[in-house]
Structure formats: C-alpha cells, structure tokens
C-alpha cells in the first residue's frame, strides 16, 4: 500500500487487531485519545478490549504509518488534546481487512480448562466460582438487553444500524449461552451421584 509521498506502507496488523478497532472508531467520529478510550469503554470494549495505554500507543503507530493524522488545532493551547482522523490510506486498510476472509478462532477459556482439571483433582470450590461466573454473565446479559432496548428500536433499520445490532445480538446470544450452560453445569454438579 502506498502511503504519503508514495512511500510504501508495510502493515503488520494482525487478523483481528486493535489498530482496526481504532480505525473503525475514528471513521465513526474523529476523536482525541481520551475520547477514544471513553468510547471503547462504552461500546467497542464489550467485544474488543484494550487498555488506555494500548490505545494511545496504537494511535502513535497509526499516525507514523500514515493511516491517521492529528487534526490541526483550532487555537494553540498547552496540553490541548489531539483530535485524530482517518486518512484515505487508513480507510483503504480497514476496507481491505474487512473484506479479507478469516477463520473462526477456537474457544480458549480458562474456566473450561479449570473444569477439566477439576475432573482430575476434585471439584471442591468450583461450584462457588461457577455461581460467580453465572452472576457476571447474567449482569452482562442484562446490560446488553438494556442497550438493545435503548439503541435499537424497531424503526432504526438502516444498513449500519442492522450491522451494529448484529454485533450486539452476538453479545446477547453469547451471554445467553453462558447463562444456560452455567445453570446446567451447576445443576449437574448438584445432582446426587447415587
């Protein structure tokens, strides 16, 4: 990909990466690093988490690679927040990545490994942590359902709305799966073996 002044940009972005999440968020709305971290905390962070330090570090990399730029300041001020926007090269990279095929990732959850280990060493204490996980998943499911009710009324039906709603529904379905699976697993553990 050619960058500023015809320079070739070699991107080392992983198949699912924080830089792509940042490009997406900045295309939705140019933002400062602080605004971006807040937006991650409220939306993208539900399915792609990053620390504030990681976000700021990636903003610097994206700017050096010519994919984003800091907007000119309205008035010079000490400590003023930089506002970033996506450049055409950044949009092209995001479009390339969006269209590229990617295989599903295998499930890798420490809870499942811990249950497999409990089958070998004993289940003492496992049920309490399963109940804690169940509470956490029920809470997250309630949050997602509240967001759905607030942000996706039946008349909100543009293509971008449908895609954003599909992402939220994936979260709802995943949390629903975990709630049901944990309830069933706890019931199995409580069942009298005799």
């Amino acid at each position: 990909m050619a960058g500023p002044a015809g320079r070739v940009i070699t991107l080392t972005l992983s198949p699912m990466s924080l830089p792509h999440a940042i490009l997406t968020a900045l295309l939705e709305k140019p933002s400062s690093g602080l605004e971006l971290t807040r937006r991650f905390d409220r939306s993208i962070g539900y399915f792609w988490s990053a620390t504030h330090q990681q976000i700021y570090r990636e903003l610097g990399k994206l700017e050096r690679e010519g994919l984003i730029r800091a907007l000119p300041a309205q008035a010079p001020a000490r400590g003023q927040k930089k506002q970033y926007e996506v450049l055409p090269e950044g949009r092209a990279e995001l479009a390339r990545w969006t269209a590229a095929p990617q295989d599903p990732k295998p499930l890798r959850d420490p809870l499942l490994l811990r249950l497999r280990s409990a089958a070998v060493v004993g289940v003492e204490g496992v049920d309490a942590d399963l109940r804690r996980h169940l509470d956490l998943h029920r809470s997250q499911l309630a949050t997602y359902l509240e967001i759905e009710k607030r942000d996706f009324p039946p008349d909100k039906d543009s293509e971008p709305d449908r895609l954003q709603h599909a992402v939220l529904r994936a979260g709802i379905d995943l949390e629903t799966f975990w709630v049901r699976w944990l309830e069933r697993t706890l019931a199995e553990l409580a069942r009298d073996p005799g």
Side-chain angles (χ1 to χ4, degrees), residues 42-55:
R42 290 190 318 264
S43 63
I44 291 175
Y46 284 119
F47 58 89
W48 190 258
S49 63
T51 66
H52 293 193
Q53 288 178 336
Q54 288 172 315
I55 291 171

PDB file of all heavy atoms in Angstrom, residues 42-55:
ATOM      1  N   ARG A  42     -17.378   2.273  26.417  1.00  0.00           N
ATOM      2  CA  ARG A  42     -18.834   2.231  26.295  1.00  0.00           C
ATOM      3  C   ARG A  42     -19.350   1.353  25.157  1.00  0.00           C
ATOM      4  O   ARG A  42     -20.539   1.060  25.115  1.00  0.00           O
ATOM      5  CB  ARG A  42     -19.385   3.640  26.079  1.00  0.00           C
ATOM      6  CG  ARG A  42     -19.300   4.544  27.272  1.00  0.00           C
ATOM      7  CD  ARG A  42     -20.075   5.844  27.062  1.00  0.00           C
ATOM      8  NE  ARG A  42     -19.906   6.431  25.750  1.00  0.00           N
ATOM      9  CZ  ARG A  42     -19.036   7.385  25.434  1.00  0.00           C
ATOM     10  NH1 ARG A  42     -18.235   7.866  26.336  1.00  0.00           N
ATOM     11  NH2 ARG A  42     -18.967   7.861  24.205  1.00  0.00           N
ATOM     12  N   SER A  43     -18.501   0.968  24.194  1.00  0.00           N
ATOM     13  CA  SER A  43     -19.044   0.216  23.064  1.00  0.00           C
ATOM     14  C   SER A  43     -18.092  -0.867  22.572  1.00  0.00           C
ATOM     15  O   SER A  43     -18.296  -2.042  22.862  1.00  0.00           O
ATOM     16  CB  SER A  43     -19.425   1.169  21.921  1.00  0.00           C
ATOM     17  OG  SER A  43     -18.274   1.846  21.437  1.00  0.00           O
ATOM     18  N   ILE A  44     -17.068  -0.496  21.830  1.00  0.00           N
ATOM     19  CA  ILE A  44     -16.174  -1.489  21.237  1.00  0.00           C
ATOM     20  C   ILE A  44     -15.550  -2.376  22.306  1.00  0.00           C
ATOM     21  O   ILE A  44     -15.317  -3.563  22.085  1.00  0.00           O
ATOM     22  CB  ILE A  44     -15.091  -0.798  20.374  1.00  0.00           C
ATOM     23  CG1 ILE A  44     -15.747  -0.187  19.136  1.00  0.00           C
ATOM     24  CG2 ILE A  44     -13.996  -1.774  19.955  1.00  0.00           C
ATOM     25  CD1 ILE A  44     -14.820   0.634  18.267  1.00  0.00           C
ATOM     26  N   GLY A  45     -15.317  -1.819  23.470  1.00  0.00           N
ATOM     27  CA  GLY A  45     -14.707  -2.576  24.554  1.00  0.00           C
ATOM     28  C   GLY A  45     -15.513  -3.777  25.014  1.00  0.00           C
ATOM     29  O   GLY A  45     -14.975  -4.669  25.672  1.00  0.00           O
ATOM     30  N   TYR A  46     -16.792  -3.853  24.651  1.00  0.00           N
ATOM     31  CA  TYR A  46     -17.585  -5.023  25.015  1.00  0.00           C
ATOM     32  C   TYR A  46     -17.108  -6.270  24.278  1.00  0.00           C
ATOM     33  O   TYR A  46     -17.297  -7.380  24.743  1.00  0.00           O
ATOM     34  CB  TYR A  46     -19.069  -4.808  24.717  1.00  0.00           C
ATOM     35  CG  TYR A  46     -19.769  -3.914  25.716  1.00  0.00           C
ATOM     36  CD1 TYR A  46     -20.364  -2.728  25.319  1.00  0.00           C
ATOM     37  CD2 TYR A  46     -19.835  -4.256  27.064  1.00  0.00           C
ATOM     38  CE1 TYR A  46     -21.006  -1.914  26.236  1.00  0.00           C
ATOM     39  CE2 TYR A  46     -20.479  -3.451  27.981  1.00  0.00           C
ATOM     40  CZ  TYR A  46     -21.061  -2.279  27.565  1.00  0.00           C
ATOM     41  OH  TYR A  46     -21.698  -1.471  28.458  1.00  0.00           O
ATOM     42  N   PHE A  47     -16.522  -6.085  23.078  1.00  0.00           N
ATOM     43  CA  PHE A  47     -16.071  -7.259  22.340  1.00  0.00           C
ATOM     44  C   PHE A  47     -14.614  -7.188  21.909  1.00  0.00           C
ATOM     45  O   PHE A  47     -14.080  -8.167  21.381  1.00  0.00           O
ATOM     46  CB  PHE A  47     -16.979  -7.524  21.129  1.00  0.00           C
ATOM     47  CG  PHE A  47     -17.064  -6.373  20.158  1.00  0.00           C
ATOM     48  CD1 PHE A  47     -16.175  -6.250  19.116  1.00  0.00           C
ATOM     49  CD2 PHE A  47     -18.053  -5.413  20.310  1.00  0.00           C
ATOM     50  CE1 PHE A  47     -16.253  -5.197  18.246  1.00  0.00           C
ATOM     51  CE2 PHE A  47     -18.137  -4.347  19.432  1.00  0.00           C
ATOM     52  CZ  PHE A  47     -17.237  -4.245  18.394  1.00  0.00           C
ATOM     53  N   TRP A  48     -13.951  -6.064  22.108  1.00  0.00           N
ATOM     54  CA  TRP A  48     -12.523  -5.962  21.807  1.00  0.00           C
ATOM     55  C   TRP A  48     -11.911  -5.018  22.819  1.00  0.00           C
ATOM     56  O   TRP A  48     -11.983  -3.801  22.668  1.00  0.00           O
ATOM     57  CB  TRP A  48     -12.288  -5.451  20.382  1.00  0.00           C
ATOM     58  CG  TRP A  48     -10.851  -5.568  20.000  1.00  0.00           C
ATOM     59  CD1 TRP A  48      -9.932  -4.564  19.968  1.00  0.00           C
ATOM     60  CD2 TRP A  48     -10.159  -6.754  19.650  1.00  0.00           C
ATOM     61  NE1 TRP A  48      -8.714  -5.053  19.602  1.00  0.00           N
ATOM     62  CE2 TRP A  48      -8.820  -6.405  19.405  1.00  0.00           C
ATOM     63  CE3 TRP A  48     -10.525  -8.088  19.525  1.00  0.00           C
ATOM     64  CZ2 TRP A  48      -7.853  -7.339  19.034  1.00  0.00           C
ATOM     65  CZ3 TRP A  48      -9.570  -9.002  19.161  1.00  0.00           C
ATOM     66  CH2 TRP A  48      -8.256  -8.629  18.919  1.00  0.00           C
ATOM     67  N   SER A  49     -11.335  -5.572  23.864  1.00  0.00           N
ATOM     68  CA  SER A  49     -10.860  -4.742  24.970  1.00  0.00           C
ATOM     69  C   SER A  49      -9.442  -4.255  24.734  1.00  0.00           C
ATOM     70  O   SER A  49      -8.656  -4.883  24.034  1.00  0.00           O
ATOM     71  CB  SER A  49     -10.934  -5.526  26.283  1.00  0.00           C
ATOM     72  OG  SER A  49     -10.077  -6.645  26.209  1.00  0.00           O
ATOM     73  N   ALA A  50      -9.145  -3.109  25.315  1.00  0.00           N
ATOM     74  CA  ALA A  50      -7.808  -2.520  25.252  1.00  0.00           C
ATOM     75  C   ALA A  50      -7.657  -1.555  26.412  1.00  0.00           C
ATOM     76  O   ALA A  50      -8.611  -0.894  26.809  1.00  0.00           O
ATOM     77  CB  ALA A  50      -7.616  -1.781  23.931  1.00  0.00           C
ATOM     78  N   THR A  51      -6.446  -1.490  26.927  1.00  0.00           N
ATOM     79  CA  THR A  51      -6.179  -0.514  27.974  1.00  0.00           C
ATOM     80  C   THR A  51      -5.994   0.858  27.325  1.00  0.00           C
ATOM     81  O   THR A  51      -5.735   0.962  26.119  1.00  0.00           O
ATOM     82  CB  THR A  51      -4.899  -0.867  28.757  1.00  0.00           C
ATOM     83  OG1 THR A  51      -3.778  -0.739  27.873  1.00  0.00           O
ATOM     84  CG2 THR A  51      -4.970  -2.274  29.338  1.00  0.00           C
ATOM     85  N   HIS A  52      -6.078   1.883  28.133  1.00  0.00           N
ATOM     86  CA  HIS A  52      -5.880   3.237  27.623  1.00  0.00           C
ATOM     87  C   HIS A  52      -4.469   3.378  27.058  1.00  0.00           C
ATOM     88  O   HIS A  52      -4.278   4.009  26.008  1.00  0.00           O
ATOM     89  CB  HIS A  52      -6.149   4.260  28.719  1.00  0.00           C
ATOM     90  CG  HIS A  52      -7.594   4.291  29.142  1.00  0.00           C
ATOM     91  ND1 HIS A  52      -8.128   5.290  29.903  1.00  0.00           N
ATOM     92  CD2 HIS A  52      -8.628   3.436  28.902  1.00  0.00           C
ATOM     93  CE1 HIS A  52      -9.407   5.057  30.120  1.00  0.00           C
ATOM     94  NE2 HIS A  52      -9.727   3.930  29.525  1.00  0.00           N
ATOM     95  N   GLN A  53      -3.485   2.781  27.717  1.00  0.00           N
ATOM     96  CA  GLN A  53      -2.103   2.840  27.228  1.00  0.00           C
ATOM     97  C   GLN A  53      -1.978   2.185  25.859  1.00  0.00           C
ATOM     98  O   GLN A  53      -1.282   2.703  24.982  1.00  0.00           O
ATOM     99  CB  GLN A  53      -1.159   2.152  28.210  1.00  0.00           C
ATOM    100  CG  GLN A  53      -0.933   2.932  29.485  1.00  0.00           C
ATOM    101  CD  GLN A  53      -0.030   2.171  30.453  1.00  0.00           C
ATOM    102  OE1 GLN A  53       0.074   0.949  30.393  1.00  0.00           O
ATOM    103  NE2 GLN A  53       0.611   2.901  31.351  1.00  0.00           N
ATOM    104  N   GLN A  54      -2.635   1.050  25.675  1.00  0.00           N
ATOM    105  CA  GLN A  54      -2.572   0.375  24.377  1.00  0.00           C
ATOM    106  C   GLN A  54      -3.181   1.250  23.285  1.00  0.00           C
ATOM    107  O   GLN A  54      -2.656   1.324  22.176  1.00  0.00           O
ATOM    108  CB  GLN A  54      -3.316  -0.963  24.432  1.00  0.00           C
ATOM    109  CG  GLN A  54      -2.617  -2.025  25.231  1.00  0.00           C
ATOM    110  CD  GLN A  54      -3.493  -3.259  25.416  1.00  0.00           C
ATOM    111  OE1 GLN A  54      -4.679  -3.154  25.733  1.00  0.00           O
ATOM    112  NE2 GLN A  54      -2.910  -4.422  25.220  1.00  0.00           N
ATOM    113  N   ILE A  55      -4.280   1.908  23.589  1.00  0.00           N
ATOM    114  CA  ILE A  55      -4.941   2.766  22.607  1.00  0.00           C
ATOM    115  C   ILE A  55      -4.022   3.921  22.217  1.00  0.00           C
ATOM    116  O   ILE A  55      -3.829   4.202  21.029  1.00  0.00           O
ATOM    117  CB  ILE A  55      -6.303   3.266  23.135  1.00  0.00           C
ATOM    118  CG1 ILE A  55      -7.294   2.090  23.208  1.00  0.00           C
ATOM    119  CG2 ILE A  55      -6.847   4.396  22.256  1.00  0.00           C
ATOM    120  CD1 ILE A  55      -8.588   2.398  23.913  1.00  0.00           C
TER     121      ILE A  55
END
